[in-house]
Amino acid sequence: MSGSFKKFIRTVTLVDLIKGLALTGGVWVRSIVTPKHVLVTRQYPEEKRPSFPNFKGHHGFLLKEDGSLKCVGCGICAGVCPAKAIRVYTEEGKDHEKVVTGYEVDAFRCIYCGFCEEACPKDAIILTRLYELADYDNREQYRWKMDRLIEVGKKRPLFRDEVKL
């Protein structure tokens, strides 16, 4: 039988409608028998679902114990980023060492693969489990600068209301 003939038979016999009604009826019966165990809809944002342990969300910057940046500005994270979402700005400091003056992650370009986190030799960047990234403001807010990344790195929030962004 051709695909269009099968579709015609399914439409005429109402197979899809019956399957949908059976599924709805099954959930309805379970909600009567065991009302606590049937979860149909989560009331987001009042009920937030924690992310899975290996979830990769908002980037964060880690600091040393003395409060200085762990990042040395080597640029390996930017080099391994397949989406080219990371930019590292450095200057030459005294004693001819690199000083990180800026760091930027483009949230729209990032694919949250975690290569930057794995490649960092100083463990300076992490991908937190924060997944609430949507906002109503302008697109420029999705270019995460160093101060925002440090704030997220300090708190390692699970939910957006735990950190002021």
Side-chain angles (χ1 to χ4, degrees), residues 51-119:
S51 57
F52 291 101
N54 292 333
F55 178 80
K56 293 177 173 60
H58 197 297
H59 295 68
F61 238 30
L62 298 179
L63 302 175
K64 293 179 188 172
E65 290 180 14
D66 62 355
S68 62
L69 283 176
K70 278 187 167 183
C71 180
V72 293
C74 65
I76 293 176
C77 53
V80 298
C81 180
K84 305 295 179 204
I86 298 175
R87 292 182 185 198
V88 182
Y89 303 98
T90 59
E91 288 180 357
E92 185 175 325
K94 57 184 177 184
D95 300 332
H96 305 289
E97 61 189 31
K98 275 188 177 178
V99 176
V100 179
T101 57
Y103 196 92
E104 188 177 287
V105 176
D106 188 341
F108 285 129
R109 294 190 71 141
C110 181
I111 59 172
Y112 303 93
C113 61
F115 285 174
C116 54
E117 184 180 18
E118 291 178 20

Side-chain angles (χ1 to χ4, degrees), residues 153-165:
K154 279 182 188 173
K155 296 188 177 175
R156 297 184 191 191
L158 293 178
F159 302 112
R160 187 172 182 144
D161 52 1
E162 296 174 11
V163 63
K164 182 169 175 57
L165 298 176

Side-chain angles (χ1 to χ4, degrees), residues 8-142:
F8 174 74
I9 295 297
R10 292 177 70 93
T11 304
V12 170
T13 59
L14 304 174
V15 170
D16 294 331
L17 177 65
I18 293 169
K19 281 184 177 177
L21 288 173
L23 179 66
T24 304
V27 171
W28 180 69
V29 168
R30 274 185 279 152
S31 70
I32 293 171
V33 175
T34 56
K36 289 184 178 178
H37 298 293
V38 176
L39 181 63
V40 177
T41 303
R42 190 178 303 268
Q43 298 298 319
Y44 184 83
E46 290 81 19
E47 293 178 42
K48 294 179 182 176
R49 181 179 180 172
S51 57
F52 291 101
N54 292 333
F55 178 80
K56 293 177 173 60
H58 197 297
H59 295 68
F61 238 30
L62 298 179
L63 302 175
K64 293 179 188 172
E65 290 180 14
D66 62 355
S68 62
L69 283 176
K70 278 187 167 183
C71 180
V72 293
C74 65
I76 293 176
C77 53
V80 298
C81 180
K84 305 295 179 204
I86 298 175
R87 292 182 185 198
V88 182
Y89 303 98
T90 59
E91 288 180 357
E92 185 175 325
K94 57 184 177 184
D95 300 332
H96 305 289
E97 61 189 31
K98 275 188 177 178
V99 176
V100 179
T101 57
Y103 196 92
E104 188 177 287
V105 176
D106 188 341
F108 285 129
R109 294 190 71 141
C110 181
I111 59 172
Y112 303 93
C113 61
F115 285 174
C116 54
E117 184 180 18
E118 291 178 20
C120 182
K122 299 293 182 181
D123 295 327
I125 189 164
I126 59 167
L127 272 72
T128 65
R129 292 169 48 193
L130 178 62
Y131 63 88
E132 296 176 299
L133 306 177
D135 211 328
Y136 297 108
D137 293 335
N138 61 12
R139 292 178 61 95
E140 199 57 36
Q141 201 168 11
Y142 292 95

